[in-house]
Short mmCIF file of all heavy atoms in Angstrom, two decimals:
data_model
loop_
_atom_site.label_atom_id
_atom_site.label_comp_id
_atom_site.label_asym_id
_atom_site.label_seq_id
_atom_site.Cartn_x
_atom_site.Cartn_y
_atom_site.Cartn_z
N PRO M 216 36.69 111.46 33.47
CA PRO M 216 36.06 111.43 34.80
C PRO M 216 35.50 112.80 35.17
O PRO M 216 36.13 113.83 34.93
CB PRO M 216 37.22 111.05 35.73
CG PRO M 216 38.26 110.44 34.84
CD PRO M 216 38.12 111.13 33.52
N VAL M 217 34.29 112.81 35.72
CA VAL M 217 33.67 114.06 36.16
C VAL M 217 33.04 113.84 37.53
O VAL M 217 32.69 112.71 37.90
CB VAL M 217 32.59 114.56 35.19
CG1 VAL M 217 33.19 115.03 33.88
CG2 VAL M 217 31.52 113.51 34.95
N GLN M 218 32.90 114.93 38.25
CA GLN M 218 32.14 114.92 39.50
C GLN M 218 31.45 116.27 39.64
O GLN M 218 32.07 117.27 39.99
CB GLN M 218 33.06 114.66 40.70
CG GLN M 218 32.27 114.55 42.01
CD GLN M 218 33.13 114.05 43.16
OE1 GLN M 218 34.23 113.54 42.97
NE2 GLN M 218 32.62 114.18 44.37
N PHE M 219 30.17 116.29 39.31
CA PHE M 219 29.38 117.51 39.44
C PHE M 219 28.97 117.64 40.91
O PHE M 219 28.62 116.65 41.55
CB PHE M 219 28.18 117.45 38.51
CG PHE M 219 28.59 117.26 37.06
CD1 PHE M 219 28.24 116.11 36.36
CD2 PHE M 219 29.34 118.22 36.41
CE1 PHE M 219 28.62 115.92 35.05
CE2 PHE M 219 29.73 118.04 35.09
CZ PHE M 219 29.38 116.89 34.41
N ARG M 220 29.00 118.87 41.42
CA ARG M 220 28.89 119.06 42.86
C ARG M 220 27.71 119.95 43.26
O ARG M 220 27.22 120.76 42.48
CB ARG M 220 30.19 119.64 43.41
CG ARG M 220 31.38 118.69 43.28
CD ARG M 220 32.67 119.24 43.89
NE ARG M 220 33.72 118.22 43.90
CZ ARG M 220 34.61 118.05 42.92
NH1 ARG M 220 34.58 118.85 41.85
NH2 ARG M 220 35.51 117.09 42.98
N SER M 221 27.31 119.77 44.51
CA SER M 221 26.22 120.55 45.08
C SER M 221 26.69 121.97 45.40
O SER M 221 27.89 122.27 45.39
CB SER M 221 25.74 119.90 46.38
OG SER M 221 26.78 119.98 47.36
N ARG M 222 25.73 122.83 45.70
CA ARG M 222 26.06 124.21 46.08
C ARG M 222 27.00 124.22 47.29
O ARG M 222 27.98 124.97 47.33
CB ARG M 222 24.78 124.98 46.40
CG ARG M 222 25.02 126.47 46.71
CD ARG M 222 23.72 127.15 47.11
NE ARG M 222 23.90 128.59 47.23
CZ ARG M 222 24.44 129.20 48.27
NH1 ARG M 222 24.89 128.48 49.29
NH2 ARG M 222 24.56 130.52 48.30
N GLU M 223 26.70 123.39 48.28
CA GLU M 223 27.53 123.33 49.49
C GLU M 223 28.96 122.91 49.15
O GLU M 223 29.93 123.48 49.66
CB GLU M 223 26.92 122.34 50.49
CG GLU M 223 27.70 122.21 51.78
CD GLU M 223 27.09 121.19 52.73
OE1 GLU M 223 26.31 120.33 52.27
OE2 GLU M 223 27.40 121.25 53.92
N ALA M 224 29.10 121.92 48.26
CA ALA M 224 30.43 121.44 47.88
C ALA M 224 31.18 122.50 47.08
O ALA M 224 32.40 122.65 47.23
CB ALA M 224 30.32 120.14 47.09
N VAL M 225 30.48 123.24 46.22
CA VAL M 225 31.14 124.31 45.45
C VAL M 225 31.57 125.43 46.38
O VAL M 225 32.66 126.00 46.23
CB VAL M 225 30.19 124.83 44.35
CG1 VAL M 225 30.78 126.07 43.67
CG2 VAL M 225 29.93 123.73 43.31
N ALA M 226 30.74 125.75 47.38
CA ALA M 226 31.08 126.82 48.32
C ALA M 226 32.38 126.53 49.06
O ALA M 226 33.10 127.46 49.45
CB ALA M 226 29.93 127.01 49.31
N ARG M 227 32.71 125.25 49.24
CA ARG M 227 33.95 124.89 49.96
C ARG M 227 35.19 125.42 49.26
O ARG M 227 36.20 125.68 49.92
CB ARG M 227 34.06 123.37 50.08
CG ARG M 227 33.28 122.76 51.23
CD ARG M 227 33.63 121.29 51.36
NE ARG M 227 35.04 121.06 51.62
CZ ARG M 227 35.65 119.87 51.49
NH1 ARG M 227 34.96 118.82 51.05
NH2 ARG M 227 36.94 119.75 51.74
N PHE M 228 35.13 125.60 47.94
CA PHE M 228 36.29 126.13 47.23
C PHE M 228 36.62 127.55 47.69
O PHE M 228 37.75 128.02 47.51
CB PHE M 228 36.05 126.12 45.72
CG PHE M 228 36.09 124.76 45.09
CD1 PHE M 228 34.93 124.17 44.59
CD2 PHE M 228 37.28 124.05 44.99
CE1 PHE M 228 34.96 122.91 44.00
CE2 PHE M 228 37.33 122.79 44.41
CZ PHE M 228 36.16 122.21 43.92
N PHE M 229 35.64 128.23 48.27
CA PHE M 229 35.83 129.62 48.67
C PHE M 229 36.12 129.77 50.17
O PHE M 229 36.11 130.89 50.68
CB PHE M 229 34.59 130.44 48.31
CG PHE M 229 34.36 130.55 46.82
CD1 PHE M 229 33.59 129.61 46.15
CD2 PHE M 229 34.94 131.58 46.09
CE1 PHE M 229 33.39 129.71 44.78
CE2 PHE M 229 34.74 131.69 44.72
CZ PHE M 229 33.96 130.75 44.07
N ASP M 230 36.37 128.67 50.85
CA ASP M 230 36.67 128.73 52.28
C ASP M 230 37.82 129.71 52.54
O ASP M 230 38.87 129.63 51.89
CB ASP M 230 37.04 127.36 52.82
CG ASP M 230 35.83 126.46 53.03
OD1 ASP M 230 34.70 126.94 52.85
OD2 ASP M 230 36.03 125.27 53.37
N GLY M 231 37.61 130.63 53.47
CA GLY M 231 38.65 131.59 53.83
C GLY M 231 38.67 132.84 52.97
O GLY M 231 39.45 133.76 53.24
N LEU M 232 37.82 132.90 51.96
CA LEU M 232 37.74 134.08 51.09
C LEU M 232 36.49 134.88 51.41
O LEU M 232 35.51 134.35 51.95
CB LEU M 232 37.71 133.66 49.61
CG LEU M 232 38.86 132.80 49.10
CD1 LEU M 232 38.64 132.47 47.61
CD2 LEU M 232 40.20 133.48 49.30
N ASP M 233 36.50 136.15 51.09
CA ASP M 233 35.32 137.00 51.23
C ASP M 233 34.53 136.95 49.93
O ASP M 233 34.99 137.49 48.90
CB ASP M 233 35.72 138.45 51.53
CG ASP M 233 36.29 138.62 52.92
OD1 ASP M 233 36.19 137.67 53.73
OD2 ASP M 233 36.84 139.70 53.20
N LEU M 234 33.37 136.34 49.97
CA LEU M 234 32.55 136.23 48.76
C LEU M 234 31.94 137.58 48.40
O LEU M 234 31.42 138.29 49.26
CB LEU M 234 31.43 135.21 48.97
CG LEU M 234 31.77 133.74 48.75
CD1 LEU M 234 30.62 132.87 49.25
CD2 LEU M 234 32.03 133.46 47.27
N LEU M 235 32.03 137.92 47.13
CA LEU M 235 31.34 139.12 46.65
C LEU M 235 29.85 138.81 46.51
O LEU M 235 29.46 137.68 46.22
CB LEU M 235 31.90 139.55 45.29
CG LEU M 235 33.40 139.87 45.21
CD1 LEU M 235 33.75 140.37 43.81
CD2 LEU M 235 33.80 140.89 46.26
N ASP M 236 29.02 139.83 46.69
CA ASP M 236 27.59 139.65 46.43
C ASP M 236 27.38 139.25 44.98
O ASP M 236 28.10 139.76 44.11
CB ASP M 236 26.85 140.96 46.72
CG ASP M 236 26.77 141.26 48.22
OD1 ASP M 236 26.85 140.30 49.02
OD2 ASP M 236 26.63 142.45 48.56
N PRO M 237 26.47 138.35 44.68
CA PRO M 237 25.46 137.74 45.56
C PRO M 237 25.89 136.41 46.17
O PRO M 237 25.04 135.55 46.41
CB PRO M 237 24.30 137.55 44.58
CG PRO M 237 24.98 137.19 43.29
CD PRO M 237 26.24 138.01 43.27
N GLY M 238 27.15 136.19 46.42
CA GLY M 238 27.61 134.92 46.96
C GLY M 238 27.64 133.83 45.90
O GLY M 238 27.92 134.08 44.73
N ILE M 239 27.36 132.59 46.33
CA ILE M 239 27.29 131.48 45.39
C ILE M 239 25.93 131.54 44.70
O ILE M 239 24.89 131.41 45.36
CB ILE M 239 27.46 130.12 46.10
CG1 ILE M 239 28.75 130.11 46.94
CG2 ILE M 239 27.47 128.99 45.08
CD1 ILE M 239 30.01 130.30 46.15
N ALA M 240 25.93 131.74 43.40
CA ALA M 240 24.67 131.94 42.67
C ALA M 240 24.68 131.14 41.38
O ALA M 240 25.75 130.83 40.82
CB ALA M 240 24.47 133.43 42.35
N VAL M 241 23.49 130.80 40.90
CA VAL M 241 23.40 130.18 39.58
C VAL M 241 23.95 131.17 38.55
O VAL M 241 23.74 132.39 38.68
CB VAL M 241 21.94 129.79 39.26
CG1 VAL M 241 21.87 129.05 37.92
CG2 VAL M 241 21.37 128.91 40.37
N GLY M 242 24.67 130.65 37.56
CA GLY M 242 25.45 131.50 36.66
C GLY M 242 24.75 132.73 36.13
O GLY M 242 25.30 133.83 36.15
N HIS M 243 23.51 132.57 35.68
CA HIS M 243 22.81 133.71 35.08
C HIS M 243 22.29 134.69 36.11
O HIS M 243 21.75 135.75 35.74
CB HIS M 243 21.68 133.23 34.17
CG HIS M 243 20.60 132.44 34.86
ND1 HIS M 243 20.84 131.60 35.92
CD2 HIS M 243 19.26 132.37 34.63
CE1 HIS M 243 19.70 131.05 36.31
NE2 HIS M 243 18.74 131.51 35.55
N ARG M 244 22.45 134.37 37.40
CA ARG M 244 21.99 135.26 38.47
C ARG M 244 23.15 135.95 39.19
O ARG M 244 22.94 136.68 40.15
CB ARG M 244 21.13 134.48 39.48
CG ARG M 244 19.91 133.84 38.82
CD ARG M 244 18.95 133.25 39.83
NE ARG M 244 17.90 132.50 39.16
CZ ARG M 244 16.83 133.04 38.58
NH1 ARG M 244 16.69 134.36 38.59
NH2 ARG M 244 15.92 132.28 38.00
N TRP M 245 24.38 135.71 38.72
CA TRP M 245 25.52 136.41 39.30
C TRP M 245 25.71 137.73 38.54
O TRP M 245 26.23 137.77 37.45
CB TRP M 245 26.80 135.56 39.23
CG TRP M 245 27.89 136.06 40.13
CD1 TRP M 245 28.15 135.64 41.41
CD2 TRP M 245 28.84 137.10 39.86
NE1 TRP M 245 29.20 136.34 41.94
CE2 TRP M 245 29.66 137.26 41.02
CE3 TRP M 245 29.10 137.92 38.76
CZ2 TRP M 245 30.69 138.18 41.10
CZ3 TRP M 245 30.12 138.85 38.84
CH2 TRP M 245 30.91 138.98 39.99
N ARG M 246 25.19 138.80 39.17
CA ARG M 246 25.30 140.17 38.62
C ARG M 246 24.95 140.22 37.13
O ARG M 246 25.78 140.66 36.30
CB ARG M 246 26.69 140.74 38.88
CG ARG M 246 27.06 140.76 40.36
CD ARG M 246 28.17 141.72 40.64
NE ARG M 246 28.58 141.65 42.04
CZ ARG M 246 29.45 142.48 42.61
NH1 ARG M 246 30.01 143.45 41.89
NH2 ARG M 246 29.77 142.35 43.87
N PRO M 247 23.76 139.79 36.78
CA PRO M 247 23.38 139.76 35.35
C PRO M 247 23.29 141.15 34.74
O PRO M 247 22.93 142.12 35.42
CB PRO M 247 22.02 139.06 35.37
CG PRO M 247 21.46 139.37 36.73
CD PRO M 247 22.65 139.37 37.65
N ASP M 248 23.60 141.24 33.47
CA ASP M 248 23.47 142.50 32.74
C ASP M 248 22.02 142.77 32.37
O ASP M 248 21.61 143.93 32.23
CB ASP M 248 24.32 142.46 31.46
CG ASP M 248 25.81 142.35 31.77
OD1 ASP M 248 26.25 142.95 32.76
OD2 ASP M 248 26.52 141.66 31.02
N THR M 249 21.25 141.70 32.20
CA THR M 249 19.83 141.82 31.89
C THR M 249 19.06 140.82 32.75
O THR M 249 19.65 139.91 33.34
CB THR M 249 19.55 141.52 30.40
OG1 THR M 249 20.01 140.19 30.10
CG2 THR M 249 20.26 142.53 29.50
N GLU M 250 17.77 140.99 32.84
CA GLU M 250 16.95 140.11 33.65
C GLU M 250 17.03 138.68 33.11
O GLU M 250 16.80 138.44 31.93
CB GLU M 250 15.49 140.58 33.62
CG GLU M 250 14.57 139.82 34.55
CD GLU M 250 14.89 140.04 36.02
OE1 GLU M 250 15.49 141.09 36.35
OE2 GLU M 250 14.54 139.15 36.83
N PRO M 251 17.39 137.70 33.97
CA PRO M 251 17.51 136.31 33.50
C PRO M 251 16.18 135.78 32.97
O PRO M 251 15.12 136.05 33.54
CB PRO M 251 17.94 135.56 34.76
CG PRO M 251 18.56 136.59 35.66
CD PRO M 251 17.78 137.85 35.38
N THR M 252 16.27 135.01 31.90
CA THR M 252 15.07 134.39 31.33
C THR M 252 15.15 132.86 31.37
O THR M 252 14.11 132.19 31.31
CB THR M 252 14.88 134.83 29.86
OG1 THR M 252 16.05 134.51 29.11
CG2 THR M 252 14.60 136.33 29.79
N ASP M 253 16.34 132.30 31.48
CA ASP M 253 16.48 130.85 31.56
C ASP M 253 16.15 130.36 32.97
O ASP M 253 16.28 131.10 33.95
CB ASP M 253 17.90 130.43 31.18
CG ASP M 253 18.25 130.81 29.76
OD1 ASP M 253 17.49 130.45 28.86
OD2 ASP M 253 19.29 131.47 29.57
N THR M 254 15.77 129.10 33.08
CA THR M 254 15.53 128.52 34.40
C THR M 254 16.84 128.10 35.04
O THR M 254 17.85 127.88 34.35
CB THR M 254 14.61 127.29 34.30
OG1 THR M 254 15.31 126.24 33.62
CG2 THR M 254 13.32 127.62 33.55
N ASP M 255 16.82 127.97 36.36
CA ASP M 255 18.02 127.51 37.07
C ASP M 255 18.42 126.11 36.61
O ASP M 255 19.61 125.80 36.50
CB ASP M 255 17.79 127.52 38.58
CG ASP M 255 17.68 128.93 39.15
OD1 ASP M 255 17.91 129.90 38.40
OD2 ASP M 255 17.35 129.05 40.35
N ALA M 256 17.43 125.28 36.33
CA ALA M 256 17.73 123.90 35.90
C ALA M 256 18.40 123.88 34.53
O ALA M 256 19.26 123.04 34.27
CB ALA M 256 16.45 123.07 35.87
N GLU M 257 18.00 124.79 33.65
CA GLU M 257 18.65 124.86 32.34
C GLU M 257 20.11 125.24 32.48
O GLU M 257 20.98 124.70 31.78
CB GLU M 257 17.93 125.88 31.45
CG GLU M 257 16.60 125.41 30.89
CD GLU M 257 15.88 126.50 30.14
OE1 GLU M 257 15.75 127.63 30.66
OE2 GLU M 257 15.43 126.24 29.01
N VAL M 258 20.41 126.16 33.38
CA VAL M 258 21.78 126.66 33.55
C VAL M 258 22.61 125.68 34.37
O VAL M 258 23.73 125.30 33.99
CB VAL M 258 21.78 128.06 34.17
CG1 VAL M 258 23.20 128.55 34.40
CG2 VAL M 258 21.02 129.03 33.27
N SER M 259 22.08 125.24 35.53
CA SER M 259 22.73 124.21 36.36
C SER M 259 24.22 124.46 36.55
O SER M 259 25.06 123.57 36.36
CB SER M 259 22.49 122.81 35.77
OG SER M 259 21.15 122.41 35.96
N LEU M 260 24.54 125.68 36.92
CA LEU M 260 25.94 126.09 37.06
C LEU M 260 26.06 127.00 38.28
O LEU M 260 25.46 128.08 38.32
CB LEU M 260 26.37 126.85 35.80
CG LEU M 260 27.82 127.28 35.65
CD1 LEU M 260 28.68 126.10 35.20
CD2 LEU M 260 27.94 128.42 34.64
#
Side-chain angles (χ1 to χ4, degrees):
V217 291
Q218 184 170 346
F219 302 116
R220 295 183 172 92
S221 67
R222 185 184 188 281
E223 181 182 20
V225 172
R227 278 188 60 196
F228 287 111
F229 294 91
D230 283 355
L232 303 179
D233 289 349
L234 276 169
L235 302 184
D236 288 336
I239 306 299
V241 184
H243 61 326
R244 301 188 188 281
W245 196 94
R246 303 200 184 187
D248 296 324
T249 58
E250 186 67 24
T252 57
D253 298 307
T254 67
D255 290 354
E257 285 174 312
V258 178
S259 288
L260 185 80

